[in-house]
Amino acid sequence: MIESLRAQFNREFSVEKYQDFLADIAADFNYAPTFRVAETPFFIPNELKKQLEEACLEVCDFVGKPDFKALTQRAIDLNTEVPHEDAHTQFMAIDFGICEENGNIVPKLIEVQGFPSIFNFQFNLYQKFQKQYPFIGELTPYLSGMDADRYLEKLKEVVFNGHDSSEVVLLEIEPEKQNTKIDFYYCRRDLGIPVICVTDVIKEGNQLFYKDESGTKIHIKRIYNRVIFDELDLRKDLKLQFSFQDNLDVEWAGHPNWYTRISKFILPHLQGKYFIETKLLSEIDEIPEDLENYVLKPLFSFSGSGVIFNVEKEDIEQVKDKDLYILQKKVAYAPVIQSPDGKVKVEVRILVLWPEKDEKPSLVGNLARLSRGEMIGVKFNKDKDWVGGSIGLFEK
C-alpha cells in the first residue's frame, strides 16, 4: 500500500502544485514560514511504524522510572533550576534517524527533548497536504488511535489543565523573531491563547500578568513555555520584570526543568537496538582513533547549535566543560524516500503528550525532516543538500 501511494504521489506532484501548497500555508496569516517546507510527506510502512513505537515506549519507560529524577539531578545541577517542578514532563519530542544497519532499515534515536515541538503547525500541515493530495486521507499522521479532534483535545488538556484560555499564555523570547513563529500563530488561532514575549510579563508580588489588546491586565495562571535558557542567557539586552528562578504563583505547561532533564544527558543511559553508542566526554578515557565516525554535541543546546559533525582531536581537547558534551557514534541514514529525481533521507520526530492526570505518556503525532545532505539537522546552503520540514503518514 505504502509503495503504491508513494508512486501515486510522485505521479501527481508538480512544482506548480507545490507552490500552491506553500501559498495555502502562507495565506492563513499572510506569512510564509522561514524554514523550508518539504515537497512531500514521508509514507511510513507498518514495520517501521512498529519499530518507532517500540523504541518510543522504551524511552518513555526510562523517563517514567521511579528514580529518573535522581538519575538526572546532575543535569539540573549543571544548569538553572526552576522552582515548583511537577511530577513528570508534559511534552516530549523523540527524534529518530531512519538508518540502514546490516542491510535492514531501522530507526536510531538521535535525540530526546522534554520540551514542546511544533504541535500546532503539524496539525495544520497534514490538512494542507491533504487539500492538494486528497488520496492521502487513507493515511494518518496520528498515533495511539487518535484522529484530529482527539489530538487537539489532548493538546488542549496539557496546555490548559482546566484553566480558561485567557489565563494561559505561550511564552517566548521575541516570538515575532523566532524561526518557529508560524507554530505560534496556529497555536493562537487553534487554542485561543495569547503569545507573549518575556519582556511583556508584569510581576506583582509572586504573581504574573499580561495586558490584552484592550490594555486590560490579565492574571497568568499557566505558562505554555517555549523559552530556551541557552537563548535567554545570551540576551543580556532583555529587561525582564521576573526571573524563572523566582518563587512564582504559576503553573507550567512544560516545566523548564524537564528540558534539562530529558535531553542528550540521558542518551548514554539508553541501551538497545534503537539506540546509538553515546558517552559523556568526561567519561571517555581515550579519544577514539576513528573520530570520523563520531559527532560531538553539547548537551543542552537547541536546534543543532554547537554540533560538530567532522570531529578533530583538537575539538575534543578544546572543550573545557567535558560534563556538558557527548561523543556520539554516527549512523548511516538510509535514502528511503523515492522522489521523482532521486532518493531522500529522513528523520522522524514522534510527538508525545503527558497530561498531569495520566499515568503514562501518549504518542500522538509526528514531524519529519527530509534531506539530500550527508547529515540531517544541519542548515545547508546548497540546493542539493536542502533540509525540509514535513510530516510522516501511517496506515490507519
Side-chain angles (χ1 to χ4, degrees):
M1 177 181 178
I2 291 295
E3 289 183 3
S4 65
L5 291 174
R6 162 54 59 200
Q8 182 176 351
F9 185 95
N10 288 356
R11 285 194 303 271
E12 293 190 15
F13 175 80
S14 68
V15 174
E16 293 75 19
K17 187 174 283 192
Y18 175 58
Q19 294 303 324
D20 288 343
F21 161 70
L22 295 179
D24 191 22
I25 296 172
D28 283 340
F29 307 104
N30 194 28
Y31 165 78
T34 51
F35 55 85
R36 195 183 195 284
V37 182
E39 289 86 343
T40 177
F42 176 31
F43 297 99
I44 300 177
N46 275 331
E47 180 58 31
L48 180 56
K49 175 188 177 184
K50 291 176 183 176
Q51 290 177 315
L52 288 166
E53 290 174 323
E54 182 180 335
C56 284
L57 290 176
E58 290 186 30
V59 174
C60 291
D61 285 346
F62 179 77
V63 171
K65 288 166 64 79
D67 61 345
F68 181 77
K69 285 194 176 184
L71 284 170
T72 56
Q73 186 57 40
R74 175 64 176 154
I76 298 293
D77 294 341
L78 291 167
N79 284 272
T80 302
E81 184 167 10
V82 177
H84 306 301
E85 181 181 321
D86 44 7
H88 58 72
T89 187
Q90 295 172 60
F91 300 96
M92 276 195 288
I94 310 178
D95 292 352
F96 296 93
I98 306 305
C99 303
E100 184 175 356
E101 186 175 73
N102 301 321
N104 298 314
I105 301 300
V106 61
K108 289 288 186 176
L109 181 71
I110 304 299
E111 189 169 352
V112 188
Q113 297 170 5
F115 190 78
S117 189
I118 50 176
F119 281 84
N120 285 91
F121 179 70
Q122 293 305 113
F123 173 76
N124 286 277
L125 183 63
Y126 171 65
Q127 297 172 18
K128 301 298 186 183
F129 269 121
Q130 191 175 3
K131 188 183 295 186
Q132 297 293 327
Y133 303 93
F135 72 89
I136 68 171
E138 300 176 43
L139 305 173
T140 177
Y142 304 112
L143 291 159
S144 304
M146 292 199 169
D147 58 16
D149 290 340
R150 291 182 63 195
Y151 173 90
L152 202 56
E153 181 183 342
K154 181 71 77 171
L155 180 59
K156 288 179 178 179
E157 184 180 351
V158 169
V159 173
F160 295 158
N161 194 35
H163 293 288
D164 185 82
S165 60
S166 66
E167 300 170 330
V168 182
V169 302
L170 187 156
L171 190 66
E172 179 54 288
I173 300 166
E174 296 183 332
E176 286 295 325
K177 297 181 180 179
Q178 296 293 334
N179 198 36
T180 54
K181 65 181 177 181
I182 185 71
D183 182 66
F184 306 160
Y185 296 161
Y186 280 120
C187 180
R188 181 166 54 200
R189 188 190 74 178
D190 297 342
L191 303 188
I193 65 174
V195 178
I196 303 295
C197 178
V198 291
T199 57
D200 291 331
V201 174
I202 303 163
K203 182 184 177 187
E204 295 183 0
N206 67 344
Q207 294 185 332
L208 302 180
F209 300 83
Y210 73 97
K211 289 185 178 180
D212 65 13
E213 293 180 354
S214 69
T216 303
K217 193 165 60 177
I218 309 293
H219 183 198
I220 300 172
K221 296 185 178 180
R222 189 168 173 86
I223 294 174
Y224 180 23
N225 183 51
R226 302 294 291 267
V227 176
I228 300 295
F229 283 168
D230 278 4
E231 182 181 0
L232 187 62
D233 290 343
L234 292 173
R235 294 297 307 274
K236 305 300 184 185
D237 58 311
L238 297 175
K239 305 300 180 184
L240 277 64
Q241 294 189 33
F242 76 101
S243 167
F244 282 79
Q245 293 177 280
D246 290 341
N247 183 25
L248 299 170
D249 178 22
V250 70
E251 294 179 10
W252 297 93
H255 191 284
N257 287 358
W258 291 109
Y259 173 76
T260 304
R261 292 186 184 277
I262 303 173
S263 60
K264 299 180 191 74
F265 185 85
I266 71 171
L267 297 183
H269 295 278
L270 297 169
Q271 308 292 326
K273 62 182 178 179
Y274 300 120
F275 307 124
I276 304 169
E277 177 190 320
T278 305
K279 292 185 177 180
L280 277 172
L281 213 54
S282 58
E283 296 180 358
I284 294 175
D285 297 324
E286 188 174 339
I287 297 175
E289 294 292 332
D290 58 336
L291 281 177
E292 69 275 8
N293 295 320
Y294 290 86
V295 181
L296 182 65
K297 298 180 178 181
L299 284 179
F300 306 111
S301 66
F302 196 66
S303 296
S305 62
V307 175
I308 300 176
F309 285 92
N310 299 308
V311 187
E312 302 286 345
K313 186 176 181 181
E314 293 75 21
D315 296 321
I316 295 176
E317 291 174 340
Q318 289 173 6
V319 174
K320 294 180 180 179
D321 296 318
K322 290 184 167 51
D323 272 345
L324 300 179
Y325 281 77
I326 57 170
L327 196 63
Q328 188 177 61
K329 203 78 175 281
K330 284 182 180 177
V331 291
Y333 284 80
V336 294
I337 297 178
Q338 180 63 61
S339 78
D341 61 348
K343 294 277 194 172
V344 179
K345 301 171 184 176
V346 62
E347 278 185 3
V348 176
R349 170 175 291 180
I350 301 299
L351 306 178
V352 182
L353 291 172
W354 194 351
E356 293 183 7
K357 68 175 181 57
D358 287 6
E359 183 179 344
K360 293 183 177 181
S362 297
L363 314 182
V364 296
N366 79 92
L367 65 84
R369 290 191 293 178
L370 281 55
S371 177
R372 295 183 188 272
E374 178 187 358
M375 300 291 289
I376 300 177
V378 183
K379 295 179 180 178
F380 296 96
N381 294 319
K382 300 177 181 178
D383 289 342
K384 69 183 181 67
D385 285 348
W386 53 255
V387 172
S390 188
I391 195 164
L393 300 179
F394 308 104
E395 295 182 36
K396 291 182 179 179

mmCIF file of all heavy atoms in Angstrom, residues 130-152:
data_model
loop_
_atom_site.group_PDB
_atom_site.id
_atom_site.type_symbol
_atom_site.label_atom_id
_atom_site.label_comp_id
_atom_site.label_asym_id
_atom_site.label_seq_id
_atom_site.Cartn_x
_atom_site.Cartn_y
_atom_site.Cartn_z
ATOM 1 N N GLN A 130 -3.272 17.277 2.523
ATOM 2 C CA GLN A 130 -4.454 16.548 2.093
ATOM 3 C C GLN A 130 -5.297 17.363 1.112
ATOM 4 O O GLN A 130 -5.937 16.802 0.215
ATOM 5 C CB GLN A 130 -5.289 16.144 3.312
ATOM 6 C CG GLN A 130 -6.398 15.147 2.983
ATOM 7 C CD GLN A 130 -7.135 14.678 4.209
ATOM 8 O OE1 GLN A 130 -6.870 15.125 5.323
ATOM 9 N NE2 GLN A 130 -8.076 13.772 4.029
ATOM 10 N N LYS A 131 -5.280 18.677 1.252
ATOM 11 C CA LYS A 131 -6.028 19.513 0.321
ATOM 12 C C LYS A 131 -5.475 19.385 -1.103
ATOM 13 O O LYS A 131 -6.228 19.366 -2.080
ATOM 14 C CB LYS A 131 -5.978 20.971 0.782
ATOM 15 C CG LYS A 131 -6.900 21.890 -0.023
ATOM 16 C CD LYS A 131 -6.775 23.341 0.416
ATOM 17 C CE LYS A 131 -7.247 23.554 1.834
ATOM 18 N NZ LYS A 131 -7.249 25.010 2.197
ATOM 19 N N GLN A 132 -4.149 19.276 -1.208
ATOM 20 C CA GLN A 132 -3.524 19.149 -2.517
ATOM 21 C C GLN A 132 -3.572 17.713 -3.041
ATOM 22 O O GLN A 132 -3.651 17.473 -4.257
ATOM 23 C CB GLN A 132 -2.056 19.599 -2.451
ATOM 24 C CG GLN A 132 -1.868 21.058 -2.097
ATOM 25 C CD GLN A 132 -2.380 22.001 -3.173
ATOM 26 O OE1 GLN A 132 -2.335 21.700 -4.358
ATOM 27 N NE2 GLN A 132 -2.893 23.152 -2.747
ATOM 28 N N TYR A 133 -3.534 16.747 -2.110
ATOM 29 C CA TYR A 133 -3.492 15.325 -2.482
ATOM 30 C C TYR A 133 -4.556 14.585 -1.675
ATOM 31 O O TYR A 133 -4.256 13.951 -0.654
ATOM 32 C CB TYR A 133 -2.112 14.737 -2.191
ATOM 33 C CG TYR A 133 -0.985 15.473 -2.893
ATOM 34 C CD1 TYR A 133 -0.296 16.512 -2.246
ATOM 35 C CD2 TYR A 133 -0.610 15.146 -4.190
ATOM 36 C CE1 TYR A 133 0.734 17.195 -2.878
ATOM 37 C CE2 TYR A 133 0.422 15.823 -4.839
ATOM 38 C CZ TYR A 133 1.084 16.846 -4.175
ATOM 39 O OH TYR A 133 2.103 17.524 -4.807
ATOM 40 N N PRO A 134 -5.826 14.655 -2.080
ATOM 41 C CA PRO A 134 -6.919 14.077 -1.283
ATOM 42 C C PRO A 134 -6.753 12.599 -0.965
ATOM 43 O O PRO A 134 -7.233 12.139 0.087
ATOM 44 C CB PRO A 134 -8.150 14.316 -2.162
ATOM 45 C CG PRO A 134 -7.795 15.508 -3.003
ATOM 46 C CD PRO A 134 -6.331 15.370 -3.272
ATOM 47 N N PHE A 135 -6.039 11.861 -1.813
ATOM 48 C CA PHE A 135 -5.931 10.412 -1.594
ATOM 49 C C PHE A 135 -5.166 10.063 -0.320
ATOM 50 O O PHE A 135 -5.311 8.953 0.201
ATOM 51 C CB PHE A 135 -5.261 9.738 -2.806
ATOM 52 C CG PHE A 135 -3.791 10.005 -2.928
ATOM 53 C CD1 PHE A 135 -2.863 9.177 -2.305
ATOM 54 C CD2 PHE A 135 -3.324 11.070 -3.680
ATOM 55 C CE1 PHE A 135 -1.497 9.419 -2.421
ATOM 56 C CE2 PHE A 135 -1.963 11.318 -3.802
ATOM 57 C CZ PHE A 135 -1.050 10.488 -3.174
ATOM 58 N N ILE A 136 -4.352 10.996 0.223
ATOM 59 C CA ILE A 136 -3.615 10.658 1.443
ATOM 60 C C ILE A 136 -4.534 10.628 2.655
ATOM 61 O O ILE A 136 -4.093 10.285 3.757
ATOM 62 C CB ILE A 136 -2.421 11.605 1.698
ATOM 63 C CG1 ILE A 136 -2.902 13.024 2.045
ATOM 64 C CG2 ILE A 136 -1.466 11.626 0.518
ATOM 65 C CD1 ILE A 136 -1.774 13.929 2.515
ATOM 66 N N GLY A 137 -5.815 10.942 2.460
ATOM 67 C CA GLY A 137 -6.788 10.768 3.543
ATOM 68 C C GLY A 137 -6.913 9.320 3.975
ATOM 69 O O GLY A 137 -7.456 9.028 5.053
ATOM 70 N N GLU A 138 -6.401 8.386 3.156
ATOM 71 C CA GLU A 138 -6.359 6.971 3.545
ATOM 72 C C GLU A 138 -5.364 6.743 4.683
ATOM 73 O O GLU A 138 -5.406 5.693 5.333
ATOM 74 C CB GLU A 138 -5.930 6.107 2.351
ATOM 75 C CG GLU A 138 -6.834 6.186 1.140
ATOM 76 C CD GLU A 138 -6.281 5.375 -0.018
ATOM 77 O OE1 GLU A 138 -5.804 4.244 0.234
ATOM 78 O OE2 GLU A 138 -6.309 5.859 -1.163
ATOM 79 N N LEU A 139 -4.457 7.701 4.897
ATOM 80 C CA LEU A 139 -3.406 7.569 5.898
ATOM 81 C C LEU A 139 -3.643 8.562 7.027
ATOM 82 O O LEU A 139 -4.523 9.417 6.953
ATOM 83 C CB LEU A 139 -2.039 7.818 5.253
ATOM 84 C CG LEU A 139 -1.695 6.950 4.044
ATOM 85 C CD1 LEU A 139 -0.387 7.412 3.410
ATOM 86 C CD2 LEU A 139 -1.596 5.484 4.448
ATOM 87 N N THR A 140 -2.846 8.456 8.075
ATOM 88 C CA THR A 140 -2.996 9.347 9.234
ATOM 89 C C THR A 140 -1.633 9.740 9.770
ATOM 90 O O THR A 140 -0.693 8.923 9.765
ATOM 91 C CB THR A 140 -3.805 8.669 10.355
ATOM 92 O OG1 THR A 140 -3.868 9.562 11.487
ATOM 93 C CG2 THR A 140 -3.173 7.357 10.804
ATOM 94 N N PRO A 141 -1.473 10.970 10.255
ATOM 95 C CA PRO A 141 -0.229 11.362 10.924
ATOM 96 C C PRO A 141 -0.238 11.062 12.421
ATOM 97 O O PRO A 141 0.752 11.313 13.110
ATOM 98 C CB PRO A 141 -0.183 12.876 10.690
ATOM 99 C CG PRO A 141 -1.631 13.277 10.707
ATOM 100 C CD PRO A 141 -2.382 12.130 10.077
ATOM 101 N N TYR A 142 -1.370 10.521 12.906
ATOM 102 C CA TYR A 142 -1.557 10.367 14.352
ATOM 103 C C TYR A 142 -1.233 8.953 14.817
ATOM 104 O O TYR A 142 -1.267 7.995 14.046
ATOM 105 C CB TYR A 142 -2.992 10.725 14.734
ATOM 106 C CG TYR A 142 -3.384 12.114 14.285
ATOM 107 C CD1 TYR A 142 -4.334 12.303 13.279
ATOM 108 C CD2 TYR A 142 -2.779 13.237 14.844
ATOM 109 C CE1 TYR A 142 -4.680 13.579 12.844
ATOM 110 C CE2 TYR A 142 -3.115 14.514 14.419
ATOM 111 C CZ TYR A 142 -4.065 14.680 13.414
ATOM 112 O OH TYR A 142 -4.390 15.937 12.984
ATOM 113 N N LEU A 143 -0.957 8.835 16.108
ATOM 114 C CA LEU A 143 -0.667 7.562 16.760
ATOM 115 C C LEU A 143 -1.651 7.342 17.907
ATOM 116 O O LEU A 143 -2.459 8.216 18.205
ATOM 117 C CB LEU A 143 0.776 7.558 17.276
ATOM 118 C CG LEU A 143 1.869 7.537 16.192
ATOM 119 C CD1 LEU A 143 3.195 8.039 16.753
ATOM 120 C CD2 LEU A 143 2.035 6.145 15.612
ATOM 121 N N SER A 144 -1.556 6.178 18.524
ATOM 122 C CA SER A 144 -2.385 5.833 19.689
ATOM 123 C C SER A 144 -3.873 5.897 19.366
ATOM 124 O O SER A 144 -4.705 6.211 20.232
ATOM 125 C CB SER A 144 -2.070 6.763 20.882
ATOM 126 O OG SER A 144 -0.694 6.716 21.206
ATOM 127 N N GLY A 145 -4.241 5.607 18.117
ATOM 128 C CA GLY A 145 -5.642 5.579 17.721
ATOM 129 C C GLY A 145 -6.292 6.946 17.660
ATOM 130 O O GLY A 145 -7.523 7.047 17.633
ATOM 131 N N MET A 146 -5.502 8.000 17.598
ATOM 132 C CA MET A 146 -6.062 9.353 17.606
ATOM 133 C C MET A 146 -6.480 9.787 16.206
ATOM 134 O O MET A 146 -5.985 9.288 15.209
ATOM 135 C CB MET A 146 -5.044 10.345 18.162
ATOM 136 C CG MET A 146 -4.752 10.166 19.627
ATOM 137 S SD MET A 146 -4.015 11.615 20.357
ATOM 138 C CE MET A 146 -4.116 11.165 22.098
ATOM 139 N N ASP A 147 -7.401 10.754 16.201
ATOM 140 C CA ASP A 147 -7.724 11.488 14.987
ATOM 141 C C ASP A 147 -7.488 12.967 15.276
ATOM 142 O O ASP A 147 -6.983 13.329 16.349
ATOM 143 C CB ASP A 147 -9.163 11.211 14.530
ATOM 144 C CG ASP A 147 -10.201 11.563 15.598
ATOM 145 O OD1 ASP A 147 -9.863 12.285 16.565
ATOM 146 O OD2 ASP A 147 -11.358 11.112 15.473
ATOM 147 N N ALA A 148 -7.845 13.831 14.346
ATOM 148 C CA ALA A 148 -7.569 15.260 14.511
ATOM 149 C C ALA A 148 -8.243 15.834 15.760
ATOM 150 O O ALA A 148 -7.631 16.604 16.514
ATOM 151 C CB ALA A 148 -8.015 16.020 13.268
ATOM 152 N N ASP A 149 -9.487 15.457 15.994
ATOM 153 C CA ASP A 149 -10.219 16.003 17.140
ATOM 154 C C ASP A 149 -9.596 15.572 18.461
ATOM 155 O O ASP A 149 -9.432 16.384 19.385
ATOM 156 C CB ASP A 149 -11.691 15.573 17.094
ATOM 157 C CG ASP A 149 -12.461 16.241 15.971
ATOM 158 O OD1 ASP A 149 -11.993 17.288 15.475
ATOM 159 O OD2 ASP A 149 -13.523 15.719 15.577
ATOM 160 N N ARG A 150 -9.256 14.291 18.562
ATOM 161 C CA ARG A 150 -8.678 13.786 19.810
ATOM 162 C C ARG A 150 -7.274 14.346 20.036
ATOM 163 O O ARG A 150 -6.865 14.596 21.176
ATOM 164 C CB ARG A 150 -8.648 12.257 19.787
ATOM 165 C CG ARG A 150 -10.040 11.615 19.846
ATOM 166 C CD ARG A 150 -9.949 10.107 19.876
ATOM 167 N NE ARG A 150 -9.268 9.634 21.077
ATOM 168 C CZ ARG A 150 -8.802 8.387 21.231
ATOM 169 N NH1 ARG A 150 -8.948 7.498 20.250
ATOM 170 N NH2 ARG A 150 -8.203 8.031 22.346
ATOM 171 N N TYR A 151 -6.532 14.536 18.958
ATOM 172 C CA TYR A 151 -5.197 15.132 19.064
ATOM 173 C C TYR A 151 -5.285 16.535 19.647
ATOM 174 O O TYR A 151 -4.570 16.885 20.601
ATOM 175 C CB TYR A 151 -4.557 15.167 17.677
ATOM 176 C CG TYR A 151 -3.229 15.898 17.587
ATOM 177 C CD1 TYR A 151 -2.023 15.223 17.783
ATOM 178 C CD2 TYR A 151 -3.174 17.262 17.277
ATOM 179 C CE1 TYR A 151 -0.800 15.885 17.676
ATOM 180 C CE2 TYR A 151 -1.964 17.931 17.177
ATOM 181 C CZ TYR A 151 -0.778 17.242 17.370
ATOM 182 O OH TYR A 151 0.421 17.912 17.258
ATOM 183 N N LEU A 152 -6.175 17.346 19.080
ATOM 184 C CA LEU A 152 -6.318 18.722 19.551
ATOM 185 C C LEU A 152 -6.859 18.754 20.974
ATOM 186 O O LEU A 152 -6.448 19.590 21.792
ATOM 187 C CB LEU A 152 -7.240 19.495 18.608
ATOM 188 C CG LEU A 152 -7.105 21.023 18.617
ATOM 189 C CD1 LEU A 152 -5.674 21.450 18.315
ATOM 190 C CD2 LEU A 152 -8.065 21.652 17.618
#
